Amino acid sequence: MNKKIDDKEMNFSNPVYLDANATEPLRPKARAAMLEAADVTGNPSSVHQAGRRARALLEEARNTLASRMDVAPLNCVFTAGGTEANVLAMHGLGQGRRFLVGRTEHDAVRKGMPDGADVGWLEVDTHGQVRLDLLEAALHTGSKPAFVCLMLANNETGVLHPLDEVARLCRQYGAHLHVDAVQAAGRMELSVEQCGADSLACSGHKMGGPKGAGALLLRGPAPRPLAPLFEGGGQEQGRRGGTQPLPAIAGLVAALCDGLDNPRDLAPLRNRLEQAACVAGAVVCGAGAPRLGNTASLALAGRRAQGQLMRLDLDGVCVSAGSACSSGKVAFSHVLDAMGLGELAGQAIRVSLPWNTQEADVERFVQSYARMAAGAGLALA
């Protein structure tokens, strides 16, 4: 039986937040941009002067995002977040194509394809990168042009797919490449052209902006046709209905610019954290591949992920066991399972460092993780 937990063990006063891949802390520049936009009363679709002021602010944000991501402004479609951007791309651009989807994709993609879609799954290697040989075989043998869905950076491990090679193969076989860049945007130099994407999704709150805004970026001549999920009042060139949330959009763009203009290499702190976790008995999942500098997936054999999270949370350390989009559930990781990690797929936690992480935050995690791994205070197995 589990040891009874004394109130003195719990540390609620000053938690350390290391779950950036679920959502980043709001950046000050994003907050300032949101407050400025919140004072603009008009609807961007109204023709009077208040509406025109709101429209000007919206288009300024669109132009800035398009410039930073290397697309035409009219090929920047604002959405309510990364999930909608991914689903809009698949439904709006994937008609008549067969879908080739990475095994380690986020559920926004895995579960967001059109009903009855022709789907093939792309296997990954033990490091979590797509098998290029199998991708080429799938592109070569299909009877219909493909719609390839691969994220740039995995949300659980931080592993980066070799998108330059993926894009080369997609061009060779006439496939559309959709990139889920939700975890990468704002954390690394990135553009639609640079990664070879035909379409790309991003989300404001993953880069230090607010929740409630995302974008789908389209390559090619503008405005690129895109079948809407819902038409509404015909906003976004008829490609996404609904009044645009100006404060959230302004915050998204300000966060992206701040992340790119003031980059911070979190890899040294991540490496310190991983080294200490390995001393305590952990295995770093995906360590053999290029990764985002802020992300660590740590598996502890024989210790359930849920128990690890509980112990760390009681110690005032906020981490997760993978995606934060499963209604609060701690589940078996399909990402780590696809990498061939077997039972470890249910025994791993994700530590993802926010833009404002300090050395003291990492040291606090290191101490808490060592106590947890040693079995102090709470039975986990």
Side-chain angles (χ1 to χ4, degrees):
M1 294 179 63
N2 290 350
K3 172 184 177 294
K4 183 179 179 180
I5 302 168
D6 190 274
D7 287 345
K8 293 181 180 179
E9 290 187 60
M10 301 184 184
N11 187 345
F12 297 123
S13 60
N14 186 30
V16 172
Y17 183 79
L18 302 178
D19 197 15
N21 288 9
T23 192
E24 285 269 16
L26 190 63
R27 292 175 179 266
K29 289 185 178 180
R31 182 190 300 273
M34 292 171 63
L35 291 174
E36 179 181 353
D39 286 334
V40 177
T41 302
N43 186 314
S45 297
S46 298
V47 297
H48 49 59
Q49 58 182 294
R52 294 197 301 272
R53 182 184 176 201
R55 170 64 67 177
L57 185 62
L58 174 66
E59 297 310 321
E60 179 184 357
R62 191 189 312 278
N63 289 337
T64 300
L65 179 59
S67 176
R68 300 306 293 255
M69 299 298 286
D70 197 20
V71 298
L74 288 179
N75 277 346
C76 172
V77 182
F78 288 116
T79 67
T83 294
E84 186 191 341
N86 281 316
V87 174
L88 178 58
M90 291 186 290
H91 286 247
L93 299 169
Q95 303 98 325
R97 291 178 177 264
R98 59 196 173 93
F99 288 83
L100 297 178
V101 181
R103 284 284 186 192
T104 57
E105 295 302 291
H106 192 280
D107 277 350
V109 169
R110 286 166 23 104
K111 298 179 179 180
M113 288 171 283
D115 291 341
D118 179 3
V119 183
W121 297 98
L122 299 172
E123 303 296 337
V124 299
D125 62 21
T126 56
H127 303 303
Q129 290 186 303
V130 66
R131 289 272 306 273
L132 293 172
D133 58 334
L134 298 181
L135 169 61
E136 182 167 18
L139 291 170
H140 178 71
T141 58
S143 59
K144 295 186 292 187
F147 191 96
V148 176
C149 297
L150 281 175
M151 54 175 47
L152 174 49
N154 187 266
N155 54 299
E156 294 189 24
T157 64
V159 167
L160 303 174
H161 282 303
L163 283 188
D164 51 349
E165 287 299 306
V166 171
R168 181 186 63 79
L169 289 172
C170 287
R171 287 193 299 269
Q172 180 179 341
Y173 290 96
H176 179 107
L177 174 59
H178 174 69
V179 174
D180 176 352
V182 164
Q183 295 295 344
R187 294 176 177 164
M188 58 186 289
E189 283 294 335
L190 171 66
S191 74
V192 173
E193 185 68 30
Q194 177 186 350
C195 68
D198 295 293
S199 56
L200 181 146
C202 63
S203 175
H205 76 102
K206 303 292 189 179
M207 59 180 87
K211 304 171 185 70
L216 175 62
L217 304 163
L218 308 172
R219 188 179 189 181
R224 183 166 177 180
L226 175 70
L229 291 173
F230 42 87
E231 295 186 10
Q235 293 89 347
E236 297 298 293
Q237 298 291 310
R239 296 171 294 184
R240 197 276 184 185
T243 299
Q244 297 92 340
L246 274 180
I249 289 171
L252 179 160
V253 175
L256 175 72
C257 292
D258 192 36
L260 294 178
D261 294 340
N262 300 287
R264 186 177 177 206
D265 183 9
L266 291 168
L269 289 177
R270 191 271 314 272
N271 294 343
R272 157 69 181 134
L273 181 152
E274 289 181 344
Q275 290 163 4
C278 288
V279 170
V283 172
V284 179
C285 307
R291 292 178 292 153
L292 283 177
N294 81 315
T295 304
S297 177
L298 308 174
L300 198 57
R303 314 296 285 275
R304 291 181 296 110
Q306 186 170 3
Q308 296 181 55
L309 295 183
M310 186 185 303
R311 178 65 260 175
L312 293 169
D313 188 44
L314 292 172
D315 220 11
V317 177
C318 302
V319 296
S320 71
S323 175
C325 304
S326 300
S327 300
K329 299 176 183 178
V330 178
F332 190 82
S333 168
H334 75 273
V335 172
L336 303 186
D337 185 48
M339 294 164 61
L341 293 178
E343 291 185 356
L344 288 181
Q347 300 165 351
I349 64 170
R350 177 187 70 187
V351 185
S352 46
L353 309 182
W355 59 268
N356 59 353
T357 302
Q358 302 299 314
E359 289 186 14
D361 300 326
V362 171
E363 291 308 312
R364 175 115 164 249
F365 170 85
V366 166
Q367 294 169 17
S368 294
Y369 191 87
R371 289 194 294 269
M372 180 273 294
L378 182 67
L380 303 172

